Amino acid sequence: MQNAQNSLTVPIILWGNKCPTHCVSSILISRRQDFLVTGSHDGQICLWQLKNGSFKATPTMLFVGHSRAVTCLAWLTPADNSFVSSSEAGEMCLWDLEDSSCKEATVVPYVHTHIQAYQLVGRRTGQLFCNGYYPDILVYDVFSLQLLFRLISKINPDWITSTIIMKPPGTPDDVVVGLTVGGAMKVWTIQPDFKSQGREVIFENESKQLAVQGAWTLKSCPTFPRTMLIVSPKAWHIYDAGDFSLLCTTNPPDDTQWSSGDFLNTEQVVIYGSNGSAYLFRLPLKPAKRSQLPGSVADSQHFRRTISSTGTGNIPAVLFGVMKVPNATPLACEPAWTIFRSPKSTGQYPFRVENYIVRGDARGRILVWAIPEYTKEELTTITDGKAAVPEHTPMETTDMDTEWDRLTRRLPGLIDRAEFEDGGALKITSSLYAPIHGRMFLGMEDGAIIMLPALQKLSTQLFIGKKPSDMPVYRFLRGHEGKVTALLYPNQDDQRYDPGMLISGGIDFTVRVWDLYQCQLQHTFVCQAGEILQLITPPSGCNARVLHSICSIASDHSVALLSLKERKAIMMASRHVFPIQAVKWRPVDDFLLVQCTDGTVYVWQMETGHLDRVVQGGAAEDVMRAVDEEFGEGNGNGFANDVGGNTTLQLFRAIKHRNMDAVRQAAKTGLKNLGGNAAGGGANDGWSKTFFGHPLTVQPVRSSPLDQENHLLLFDVEALVLQLLQEENRTDLISDIGKNTPRTDGKPAEWRSSSTIPGSASSAATSAADQYHSKPPQKQIAFATEGMSMTVEVAQLLVSLLYAWGLDPEMDRLCVEKLGMLQPKQAVNYGIISKSGYMTLLLPTSIHRKSIELPQPQERIRDMLATITRGHWSISNTLTTVHLVALVSVANTLMNIQNATFHSDYEKRRKLHRRLMRMDTKAGQGSGPAPELTQGLGGGYSTSEAAQTFTEQQAQIKQTWSQLTAMHCVLLSERLGYENFKPPDVEVMLRRWQDRCLEIRTASQALILSELRRMGGSGRRHLIEQWAMYLPNFTANESAPLSEMRSASAASNAIPDTPASEQLSNEDEDFEELQHEPTVSDPSLPSLYSVEYRKKQSTAIILLGIIGAEFGPETQLSVSRSPSIDAMKAKQETMSVTDPVIRQVAKALSHIVINPDERLQPFSSLRRSAVDLLGRGFLAWEPFVDIAQILLSLLRLTLDGDRQVTIPTGVPLTPAQDMARAARHALEMLASVRPPVFITVMNTEIARHNSLVQSAQTLNVNLNNATIVRAKEELLRILDMLINKHPQSVADLIVEAVEIVIHSLDPGRIKTHGLVELFPPVGRFPMIAFCKQNRRIAVGSKKGGVYICELRGVKMQSYGGHAQPVSSCEFSPDGKHLATFSCKEGKLLFWQIGATLFGLGSTQPRCVKTCKAVSVSFQNWPELKDHAEYRMARQRWVSNKDVMVILANGKEERYSL
């Protein structure tokens, strides 16, 4: 796991009126006939739902993330609830259909064309056998996608095109049969005792060259594996696997070639043709009587004798059926085929099944044929030629176009053709969102550019109840002749550009500059002879002339620098032979590097426009790599801009690699590879130097260049929360973030490495502050948003979309009336960002076809809203988790900023009231109400009444926000019903347990605890059993440092040729891996050296730590108090102190906090979580940890963090500040639950330190930097907290507490100012006395001893005197005597504190008089039972010889010396 936490992003897709293209490249159908999965040449995967056991398919989800064509799909489990996909780019993804998300992803340097899941003998988990464009068979782990071992060929190695895995009867071995592209059959044997560790290989046992060329398919008969089918383009063959003898051969028709095939049963096969038809053949069989089963070809001795007499393989199979599409037109790509075998309940032969053939083609169609069951007579008639070969049409046909046309209401896209006069079909060809102004620029096919307010448009498209006046106003920019292909708003990239300038490029070869203030054309550049593909801005390091220009890339393979200041082209690079693939900048040398699709790199001088050099081959790759390594991709100096390709792919690559600059560029260009490195884009983290996060980003999405652009809304919850807080508190963002500048020493801070979109930056604080907190410019861009701020509008959109409407009518009414939320018109299509940035997008289904139109009865609206809500929360556990965390965190933020709402009138009055309150506070006046508060309340309200009404509204709003939060945290599952609710995923929420955003962190923790409570004891026990196996074992060598416990060879045990992208592909985890090698004997677990295992270790520690901290001690206490049957059952279901698991968890948490090894980063989220859990569950961990080391480590972490922990609201904490905050909170919780432990341990450490100080000069040791010395201020703060919350516990150890105070204060200042003046909390204890005359401190202990400390001394001296606790001590005014009083003992003692002549020495204190007093107890003094024991009495010297004892009930007694 990486060191940063990901930004919480909620994606929502707005599909247009045209469905995306889906050119099917691979297809997969579940055994239960409920799901169909298709992969496309565009890299997308579509999930189709089969209804009621039929083959009527409905597209429901789109899995996006592959950058190239999907080459193969395979089920992972017999239940068919998860599958694996692979692409031409080497990307492998594991998808979970139950959660609708990607669970694992990696990138390998191989292209797989076939994957088969199989569980080897002796293994508890399955393996993936992969073959493709490489000569080996690679075996991967089915869950972690890590390479386990290889099957290698020694004899004539060649590409393996197809494999078969079987378990021969009578042997314990597994056999793998592979077919090479050259026609060689190879056999490998895997023994049960073979143990793979990532390095071992297995060579083939047998190899046989067959008379086959270009074979791509190898299949075995399901009921008789010895019969094997081999399909090549020119013929298909039947071979006997026993002796590799050819038994049958059949050539294709003249107009087609064979592509693949499969067995229908032992006597029939289906062969697929490249023309889109399937052919049914019957194999030649031996003569058989009616009562006998038909024999297979491989087992037919009669057939072998026939072959020997006529020639090998001359007997062809008989065609008895053709599956064709009527009126078929040529397809752009070969279709993908699969066969579905449905068990048949009746029939002549028990092994026969009912077969269906499923085809997916380039038009996104799914066609299903049922294989007819012919009688023997019908087959004989067809095979003898007496009847024509029948042609069968599909029984079911489904395509996306038909599903889109079935929608009863138009989908809520960004633009609707009905809004324009002509009502024609408008196609969006390019789009750009400017979040600074909330504007959307849409380039149309007719050459127009539409400018519209995005937030206002989204509100009218998605929600009901909008007035006609709320409809957005469109602005048109016309000038292009033909479609607009590229848009650029340069001010969004750099503030040096005019904010009123927009750049556009079109198919008419022109680049146009527009004035957004006047909506007019300023200038037109015509200098290129091709369609404008991309417009980009130069980085900030270029010369002044280039800085005022933009870069234009055209389809004529040219690159031009167009000066916006000089209004001319200052450089034209047009000697490129091949299309341009990438453009990179090297401002230091004034170079512009252009990479073409053939790999050639052209180096141009920007100042002169001369071609400096042309580099090819490996040197070209080195040059491009050197730019990335020197400047880093995406930082503005060496930024790489890739040209062409699919805009959807470049967007999701940017999301996948957490590259916010790439996401921004993806919105404007047709990029292909803008993600940085495959390991997670370390150069671009969540705190980029060039971009401050925006709450909402709108990105274009399209499957192919021919599609209309759809739009993806990306709500960044963290940016939304921070900007809400900043706007409310008017934070000076520039100065605040300047104090929290991230590290620049090359070691990224814990929270910076892989945050998802959008990012933020300290260097961009100026622009962000100008955007949201500065005065508006004098010029306005065409139109401006009125009413609420854009941030509040974004919050209104998000909260209204995520709220569970229709479950509580009264709550819905309050949300609309009090909070100003909006009710949705229809269900929206959500997205799920999962592992490595791969995304799941919902497609319109039956629920999305229902829309709400006014006017309608409220009951009807409520029922439709409830239907939408049930569909929303029953999609995925991950989606439920993300939406609940987002909703609760935003709701809590709005509630905490003075109860904000989405009513514009109320917001104005609320902000006015807040400003007036601040002005009154600064001026020292009362907070009287302002007359402006009466606005909007109607007539007849006085100022005081308006203030009272405003206060009541505030209370109602706060209560409504609180009810909304409680409903989604606790009551949502009950309101929905458990059958309609996918509960949140605890493992996913764990990633947010210590999120860098405090509001998201608080929401996640509340949801985790609520979900654990909802599970009950049995559910928590199940989690314990599930994750306990991953806990590291620290008990064997508890005191050894991390470097000794971690195996030195662990880092080198990766596969030598495994790329870095495969080893570091898990960039989206939030806890770093625990660098400790545990002792595990379970062979079903992942490798101990794998990244996956270390991730599970960290997750197990945090999850079980939460259960132990929150539920362990509570259950134990309840069981001890109530030994009932229910309590005993609860004790069995939850962790207790005697549970061995809690010991392992305690050791692991202690190790993470105490361990000083630098490889475990000091401010990581894992360590911060461990610190938090140690404080939460200290009662559970106390018996198993070294308390002294824990306390010293927490103090060290507090001191190592930044001193400024309290920073202005709205500015995120740095990792050091966050760690200091967590450590302080943990110290407070630890000290609160066990005050005696904290005081005793700290006193012991102080005594140890004082002993070292005495011998420091002899040992030549510097103790000034010791933790106990640097933590003086922190010790006083915690002691102050204990005195306020647990005074009696401090009074019981008052001597130790005073020693801590003396250690933490300066003795010189104590002498001059006094103890109580420097640390007032000790004044609450009457048994503490200080005398300035003799500079002594006297303390009475609970055991009756009197301790006197001279400030020039080192240690307190103990003097006996009382047999019961000392209640009060007080020095005489002249400092020569001390009076001590014990209430329980009923005794007062006078002590002589003498000094020698001139005060240069002192004598030992001695008791000079004992006075009998009345014993004070609750039995004798009932009125004292409500008083604290440590405050039962106090003293006051009347004179140097007389003292007055004042009891807590006010009675006084006088004693004389």
Side-chain angles (χ1 to χ4, degrees):
M1 286 177 284
Q2 298 298 314
N3 302 329
Q5 295 176 329
N6 307 316
S7 178
L8 183 64
T9 305
V10 178
I12 295 176
I13 183 70
L14 298 180
W15 297 109
N17 296 319
K18 296 293 184 181
C19 70
T21 58
H22 189 68
C23 183
V24 179
S25 61
S26 55
I27 191 169
L28 197 64
I29 187 171
S30 64
R31 301 175 183 87
R32 298 175 298 179
Q33 196 181 343
D34 52 357
F35 288 112
L36 185 72
V37 183
T38 56
S40 70
H41 288 278
D42 300 320
Q44 301 172 356
I45 301 173
C46 183
L47 177 67
W48 307 69
Q49 185 176 7
L50 304 179
K51 297 182 179 179
N52 302 324
S54 66
F55 287 94
K56 181 60 180 177
T58 302
T60 58
M61 294 182 185
L62 205 63
F63 302 114
V64 189
H66 286 298
S67 59
R68 301 285 294 277
V70 178
T71 56
C72 54
L73 302 167
W75 296 113
L76 296 181
T77 59
D80 294 348
N81 53 11
S82 60
F83 68 95
V84 64
S85 62
S86 181
S87 70
E88 291 181 354
E91 301 153 336
M92 296 180 65
C93 301
L94 192 155
W95 302 91
D96 184 3
L97 294 183
E98 293 183 354
D99 194 44
S100 305
S101 61
C102 176
K103 294 302 183 182
E104 191 62 57
T106 187
V107 180
V108 298
Y110 311 103
V111 179
H112 307 309
T113 58
H114 180 262
I115 298 178
Q116 182 176 353
Y118 184 81
Q119 184 173 345
L120 296 173
V121 177
R123 307 297 178 94
R124 296 188 180 181
T125 58
Q127 293 78 34
L128 296 177
F129 288 79
C130 307
N131 61 272
Y133 301 153
Y134 46 88
D136 306 330
I137 296 178
L138 307 180
V139 183
Y140 291 86
D141 182 78
V142 75
F143 295 115
S144 64
L145 299 183
Q146 291 188 334
L147 185 60
L148 300 178
F149 58 92
R150 304 168 180 264
L151 305 181
I152 297 181
S153 302
K154 292 188 298 184
I155 304 173
N156 299 326
D158 200 354
W159 286 2
I160 306 293
T161 61
S162 188
T163 57
I164 295 176
I165 309 171
M166 60 185 67
K167 174 69 173 60
T171 61
D173 304 333
D174 294 294
V175 176
V176 180
V177 180
L179 178 66
T180 66
V181 70
M185 189 85 72
K186 298 180 179 294
V187 180
W188 291 266
T189 302
I190 304 177
Q191 300 177 354
D193 56 352
F194 173 75
K195 298 188 180 299
S196 60
Q197 295 181 0
R199 290 177 174 271
E200 300 188 21
V201 297
I202 300 178
F203 295 99
E204 77 270 31
N205 300 88
E206 188 176 356
S207 179
K208 175 72 173 180
Q209 182 64 41
L210 306 180
V212 179
Q213 291 294 328
W216 288 101
T217 302
L218 174 64
K219 296 289 184 179
S220 63
C221 182
T223 57
F224 195 79
R226 182 176 167 183
T227 305
M228 308 189 75
L229 169 66
I230 299 177
V231 182
S232 64
K234 298 299 183 181
W236 62 267
H237 316 273
I238 296 294
Y239 275 86
D240 182 7
D243 54 4
F244 299 108
S245 59
L246 177 63
L247 305 179
C248 178
T249 299
T250 302
N251 297 324
D254 296 335
D255 61 341
T256 187
Q257 292 182 344
W258 301 134
S259 58
S260 61
D262 207 337
F263 280 94
L264 296 177
N265 48 52
T266 55
E267 58 186 37
Q268 297 174 358
V269 296
V270 57
I271 307 298
Y272 310 124
S274 59
N275 60 353
S277 300
Y279 300 85
L280 306 179
F281 290 94
R282 182 181 182 184
L283 302 180
L285 302 177
K286 69 179 182 180
K289 298 180 180 180
R290 291 181 179 270
S291 59
Q292 295 176 340
L293 296 178
S296 64
V297 174
D299 197 31
S300 174
Q301 296 299 324
H302 168 79
F303 187 72
R304 291 176 179 273
R305 289 194 298 269
T306 306
I307 291 176
S308 63
S309 61
T310 60
T312 303
N314 287 343
I315 300 180
V318 180
L319 179 66
F320 69 92
V322 180
M323 305 297 175
K324 299 185 66 175
V325 179
N327 302 323
T329 57
L331 298 174
C333 304
E334 287 190 7
W337 300 84
T338 188
I339 187 171
F340 176 76
R341 297 181 174 90
S342 177
K344 184 178 179 183
S345 58
T346 61
Q348 182 180 2
Y349 308 111
F351 52 81
R352 286 182 182 254
V353 294
E354 199 171 36
N355 298 304
Y356 298 89
I357 297 176
V358 185
R359 190 193 87 172
D361 57 26
R363 298 173 185 169
R365 295 184 301 179
I366 303 298
L367 301 97
V368 182
W369 288 269
I371 305 298
E373 296 251 349
Y374 293 103
T375 63
K376 185 177 181 181
E377 290 75 14
E378 291 174 341
L379 284 176
T380 303
T381 303
I382 296 174
T383 55
D384 293 343
K386 297 180 181 180
V389 177
E391 295 183 355
H392 306 279
T393 58
M395 59 175 287
E396 196 71 58
T397 302
T398 308
D399 58 66
M400 286 191 179
D401 288 330
T402 304
E403 294 300 318
W404 242 257
D405 294 338
R406 290 174 56 194
L407 298 176
T408 58
R409 185 181 185 276
R410 310 194 69 85
L411 293 174
L414 277 180
I415 194 169
D416 194 339
R417 74 182 72 176
E419 299 177 2
F420 300 93
E421 296 179 357
D422 54 2
L426 296 177
K427 181 178 179 181
I428 302 175
T429 57
S430 61
S431 59
L432 172 66
Y433 176 65
I436 298 175
H437 307 289
R439 301 291 177 267
M440 194 75 195
F441 302 97
L442 304 176
M444 310 305 293
E445 192 174 23
D446 61 353
I449 300 175
I450 302 176
M451 181 170 58
L452 54 88
L455 299 178
Q456 189 177 358
K457 177 61 178 176
L458 290 173
S459 298
T460 56
Q461 288 286 82
L462 298 176
F463 303 102
I464 62 177
K466 285 293 182 178
K467 303 177 182 178
S469 59
D470 298 329
M471 295 299 294
V473 179
Y474 295 168
R475 304 294 184 187
F476 288 85
L477 305 176
R478 300 187 183 274
H480 283 283
E481 299 178 0
K483 67 178 181 180
V484 181
T485 57
L487 291 171
L488 174 66
Y489 183 63
N491 182 262
Q492 184 172 333
D493 294 341
D494 199 294
Q495 298 298 312
R496 65 178 182 265
Y497 295 100
D498 185 1
M501 182 185 297
L502 177 70
I503 315 296
S504 65
I507 200 173
D508 56 356
F509 308 166
T510 64
V511 176
R512 300 177 185 264
V513 183
W514 304 89
D515 183 3
L516 298 180
Y517 299 129
Q518 303 297 330
C519 295
Q520 296 178 355
L521 178 64
Q522 284 187 339
H523 186 73
T524 301
F525 294 95
V526 184
C527 57
Q528 293 172 288
E531 172 186 347
I532 306 301
L533 299 178
Q534 180 177 346
L535 298 170
I536 56 178
T537 56
S540 57
C542 299
N543 60 66
R545 192 182 185 196
V546 176
L547 286 178
H548 292 87
S549 64
I550 61 169
C551 180
S552 172
I553 304 170
S555 60
D556 64 342
H557 312 165
S558 65
V559 178
L561 287 181
L562 309 177
S563 176
L564 302 177
K565 185 177 182 180
E566 303 176 20
R567 302 297 173 89
K568 67 178 183 179
I570 60 177
M571 192 199 81
M572 174 66 68
S574 59
R575 298 184 184 179
H576 312 113
V577 180
F578 290 89
I580 299 173
Q581 179 178 353
V583 174
K584 295 191 179 184
W585 309 82
R586 191 178 175 88
V588 177
D589 299 322
D590 196 40
F591 284 159
L592 177 68
L593 287 77
V594 179
Q595 184 182 25
C596 297
T597 55
D598 65 338
T600 306
V601 175
Y602 295 79
V603 182
W604 298 85
Q605 292 183 357
M606 290 186 288
E607 184 69 24
T608 62
H610 293 163
L611 180 61
D612 186 81
R613 75 197 74 167
V614 179
V615 188
Q616 297 178 341
E621 297 179 0
D622 295 339
V623 169
M624 302 297 283
R625 191 182 303 111
V627 176
D628 297 336
E629 293 176 354
E630 181 175 358
F631 299 102
E633 294 191 30
N635 63 357
N637 294 326
F639 189 79
N641 300 275
D642 293 1
V643 185
N646 192 325
T647 57
T648 304
L649 302 183
Q650 47 96 3
L651 167 64
F652 290 108
R653 280 192 171 196
I655 297 175
K656 172 181 177 181
H657 301 302
R658 305 294 187 259
N659 190 336
M660 193 56 235
D661 289 313
V663 173
R664 289 194 299 142
Q665 293 293 329
K668 301 173 294 184
T669 59
L671 307 183
K672 208 172 187 179
N673 286 317
L674 269 186
N677 54 51
N684 283 281
D685 47 46
W687 292 92
S688 169
K689 295 182 179 181
T690 59
F691 189 77
F692 189 86
H694 296 286
L696 175 63
T697 304
V698 183
Q699 301 293 350
V701 177
R702 62 170 66 177
S703 299
S704 70
L706 301 178
D707 288 349
Q708 175 176 322
E709 282 192 350
N710 304 297
H711 292 88
L712 182 66
L713 310 180
L714 297 169
F715 293 90
D716 190 330
V717 180
E718 180 184 15
L720 177 59
V721 169
L722 294 180
Q723 291 194 14
L724 284 173
L725 295 174
Q726 290 165 9
E727 288 187 357
E728 180 68 17
N729 295 277
R730 300 297 179 187
T731 305
D732 188 0
L733 189 61
I734 303 174
S735 59
D736 290 333
I737 295 187
K739 300 175 183 178
N740 305 316
T741 303
R743 296 168 56 179
T744 57
D745 56 358
K747 299 179 180 179
E750 175 271 330
W751 55 322
R752 296 180 56 221
S753 64
S754 62
S755 181
T756 58
I757 56 175
S760 51
S762 59
S763 61
T766 303
S767 62
D770 292 341
Q771 296 161 17
Y772 291 98
H773 305 303
S774 62
K775 295 182 179 180
Q778 295 180 357
K779 291 185 177 181
Q780 297 296 329
I781 300 177
F783 42 74
T785 304
E786 298 181 357
M788 298 180 297
S789 66
M790 287 189 296
T791 307
V792 177
E793 288 187 52
V794 173
Q796 182 185 29
L797 289 177
L798 181 60
V799 174
S800 300
L801 289 172
L802 299 185
Y803 173 76
W805 295 96
L807 302 182
D808 189 340
E810 179 62 22
M811 189 66 197
D812 294 349
R813 184 188 64 81
L814 293 175
C815 289
V816 173
E817 296 179 359
K818 300 297 182 183
L819 304 183
M821 293 170 55
L822 305 174
Q823 293 181 327
K825 288 183 180 179
Q826 64 182 28
V828 297
N829 299 283
Y830 299 103
I832 304 173
I833 299 180
S834 51
K835 188 74 173 184
S836 300
Y838 287 85
M839 185 176 293
T840 303
L841 301 176
L842 297 184
L843 296 173
T845 59
S846 58
I847 297 179
H848 300 82
R849 298 188 183 104
K850 298 178 181 179
S851 59
I852 302 175
E853 297 292 346
L854 297 179
Q856 285 198 29
Q858 289 297 325
E859 293 76 9
R860 173 64 176 168
I861 295 177
R862 188 185 311 119
D863 294 341
M864 297 185 70
L865 289 174
T867 303
I868 294 174
T869 298
R870 284 192 290 269
H872 173 196
W873 300 104
S874 63
I875 297 174
S876 165
N877 301 96
T878 301
L879 183 137
T880 300
T881 305
V882 174
H883 287 190
L884 283 178
V885 174
L887 179 60
V888 173
S889 57
V890 174
N892 287 337
T893 304
L894 293 170
M895 181 173 59
N896 292 332
I897 58 174
Q898 298 252 337
N899 308 315
T901 69
F902 303 129
H903 288 297
S904 57
D905 295 338
Y906 179 82
E907 278 296 288
K908 292 178 182 178
R909 289 190 287 118
R910 186 184 66 83
K911 293 180 179 180
L912 176 62
H913 179 266
R914 181 179 175 84
R915 287 196 296 269
L916 293 175
M917 291 287 291
R918 288 178 176 177
M919 294 173 58
D920 292 342
T921 303
K922 292 180 180 180
Q925 302 173 2
S927 57
E932 292 84 348
L933 294 179
T934 61
Q935 297 178 3
L937 297 178
Y941 280 90
S942 63
T943 305
S944 59
E945 291 175 344
Q948 180 65 25
T949 303
F950 181 78
T951 304
E952 294 176 356
Q953 290 179 348
Q954 287 269 17
Q956 294 174 1
I957 292 170
K958 183 175 183 179
Q959 183 180 7
T960 305
W961 282 121
S962 179
Q963 292 175 356
L964 184 147
T965 304
M967 172 182 170
H968 290 83
C969 279
V970 182
L971 305 175
L972 186 60
S973 59
E974 299 179 3
R975 300 282 176 86
L976 285 170
Y978 294 103
E979 66 278 359
N980 298 321
F981 180 66
K982 289 278 189 178
D985 191 340
V986 175
E987 185 177 356
V988 175
M989 287 189 292
L990 282 176
R991 303 171 189 171
R992 306 289 173 186
W993 181 262
Q994 281 293 319
D995 195 274
R996 69 183 182 188
C997 179
L998 299 182
E999 286 72 18
I1000 296 178
R1001 179 189 306 180
T1002 303
S1004 301
Q1005 292 177 359
L1007 287 170
I1008 290 176
L1009 298 179
S1010 176
E1011 179 63 17
L1012 290 176
R1013 294 188 187 97
R1014 188 191 65 82
M1015 289 181 178
S1018 58
R1020 294 191 293 270
R1021 173 53 62 181
H1022 176 71
L1023 283 178
I1024 295 172
E1025 296 173 353
Q1026 179 183 356
W1027 289 95
M1029 65 178 70
Y1030 297 106
L1031 286 175
N1033 185 10
F1034 292 98
T1035 57
N1037 191 3
E1038 298 174 2
S1039 60
L1042 184 64
S1043 57
E1044 296 179 7
M1045 287 190 288
R1046 185 171 182 261
S1047 174
S1049 61
S1052 62
N1053 276 355
I1055 303 169
D1057 56 353
T1058 301
S1061 60
E1062 180 177 351
Q1063 300 181 27
L1064 300 176
S1065 61
N1066 304 290
E1067 74 278 4
D1068 60 343
E1069 294 295 337
D1070 303 285
F1071 302 124
E1072 64 176 277
E1073 296 86 3
L1074 185 63
Q1075 302 292 326
H1076 173 69
E1077 179 188 354
T1079 303
V1080 179
S1081 59
D1082 191 346
S1084 66
L1085 298 179
S1087 172
L1088 302 183
Y1089 304 111
S1090 67
V1091 176
E1092 179 69 18
Y1093 195 92
R1094 295 199 298 270
K1095 289 188 303 180
K1096 290 186 177 296
Q1097 272 189 322
S1098 303
T1099 304
I1101 292 172
I1102 302 305
L1103 175 59
L1104 300 184
I1106 294 173
I1107 297 177
E1110 298 294 335
F1111 302 97
E1114 177 184 350
T1115 302
Q1116 186 194 14
L1117 293 176
S1118 63
V1119 169
S1120 62
R1121 288 193 297 262
S1122 178
S1124 62
I1125 298 178
D1126 295 338
M1128 296 302 295
K1129 181 178 179 181
K1131 182 177 181 180
Q1132 296 175 358
E1133 294 176 342
T1134 313
M1135 285 196 296
S1136 63
V1137 176
T1138 59
D1139 197 323
V1141 175
I1142 209 167
R1143 175 183 176 87
Q1144 288 182 273
V1145 175
K1147 291 295 183 182
L1149 295 175
S1150 175
H1151 174 82
I1152 295 173
V1153 174
I1154 296 175
N1155 196 340
D1157 198 300
E1158 295 181 355
R1159 286 173 295 184
L1160 192 63
Q1161 296 193 11
F1163 306 131
S1164 66
S1165 58
L1166 177 62
R1167 172 169 279 184
R1168 192 166 60 244
S1169 300
V1171 167
D1172 177 63
L1173 292 175
L1174 275 176
R1176 287 175 179 265
F1178 181 72
L1179 291 178
W1181 324 126
E1182 182 182 4
F1184 312 108
V1185 298
D1186 189 332
I1187 301 175
Q1189 290 190 13
I1190 291 292
L1191 290 176
L1192 290 178
S1193 298
L1194 293 178
L1195 288 173
R1196 191 181 304 112
L1197 291 174
T1198 303
L1199 299 172
D1200 292 342
D1202 293 350
R1203 302 302 301 171
Q1204 185 192 3
V1205 177
T1206 304
I1207 61 176
T1209 305
V1211 178
L1213 299 175
T1214 64
Q1217 290 175 337
D1218 207 357
M1219 178 60 75
R1221 178 183 179 278
R1224 287 188 175 185
H1225 185 57
L1227 281 172
E1228 292 177 358
M1229 290 189 293
L1230 189 150
S1232 297
V1233 296
R1234 293 300 302 273
V1237 173
F1238 176 83
I1239 296 174
T1240 303
V1241 171
M1242 288 295 98
N1243 183 68
T1244 304
E1245 293 299 323
I1246 291 173
R1248 184 180 303 165
H1249 171 75
N1250 292 335
S1251 300
L1252 291 176
V1253 169
Q1254 296 179 357
S1255 57
Q1257 295 181 353
T1258 305
L1259 299 176
N1260 194 18
V1261 177
N1262 184 13
L1263 299 177
N1264 293 329
N1265 292 327
T1267 302
I1268 203 67
V1269 175
R1270 296 189 297 133
K1272 292 181 178 180
E1273 182 179 350
E1274 188 66 22
L1275 291 175
L1276 290 177
R1277 188 188 67 83
I1278 297 177
L1279 199 59
D1280 184 13
M1281 181 268 298
L1282 290 180
I1283 292 175
N1284 292 326
K1285 293 183 177 181
H1286 308 280
Q1288 187 58 52
S1289 299
V1290 178
D1292 294 341
L1293 296 172
I1294 192 62
V1295 178
E1296 291 80 358
V1298 171
E1299 289 185 344
I1300 297 175
V1301 173
I1302 295 174
H1303 166 79
S1304 303
L1305 297 177
D1306 183 11
R1309 298 193 63 194
I1310 296 178
K1311 295 177 183 179
T1312 57
H1313 294 80
L1315 183 64
V1316 177
E1317 287 75 7
L1318 294 179
F1319 191 62
V1322 298
R1324 299 180 59 179
F1325 301 100
M1327 69 282 299
I1328 301 176
F1330 172 74
C1331 182
K1332 291 185 178 180
Q1333 283 72 17
N1334 56 30
R1335 297 177 179 178
R1336 286 182 173 89
I1337 299 174
V1339 183
S1341 69
K1342 185 178 181 180
K1343 296 181 179 180
V1346 178
Y1347 291 79
I1348 300 177
C1349 174
E1350 297 186 28
L1351 294 180
R1352 61 185 178 183
V1354 180
K1355 187 177 180 181
M1356 283 190 173
Q1357 299 295 327
S1358 175
Y1359 303 94
H1362 294 278
Q1364 295 292 334
V1366 178
S1367 301
S1368 62
C1369 296
E1370 189 66 34
F1371 283 98
S1372 62
D1374 57 3
K1376 295 182 180 180
H1377 296 89
L1378 171 68
T1380 61
F1381 175 71
S1382 175
C1383 292
K1384 290 186 177 181
E1385 189 181 11
K1387 181 190 297 185
L1388 184 139
L1389 301 180
F1390 287 96
W1391 302 78
Q1392 181 180 359
I1393 311 297
T1396 58
L1397 185 63
F1398 305 114
L1400 299 178
S1402 62
T1403 59
Q1404 290 291 333
R1406 59 190 181 88
C1407 181
V1408 295
K1409 184 176 181 181
T1410 301
C1411 299
K1412 186 66 175 177
V1414 178
S1415 177
V1416 179
S1417 62
F1418 295 149
Q1419 292 79 10
N1420 300 333
W1421 305 79
E1423 64 272 14
L1424 297 178
K1425 63 180 180 179
D1426 295 331
H1427 290 76
E1429 182 179 352
Y1430 69 95
R1431 302 191 66 177
M1432 296 292 290
R1434 58 187 179 89
Q1435 300 179 31
R1436 181 169 59 86
W1437 284 82
V1438 180
S1439 63
N1440 291 332
K1441 299 295 183 179
D1442 299 317
V1443 63
M1444 185 77 69
V1445 176
I1446 305 173
L1447 300 180
N1449 58 358
K1451 295 186 177 182
E1452 300 179 356
E1453 294 186 6
R1454 186 168 181 169
Y1455 301 91
S1456 299
L1457 179 61

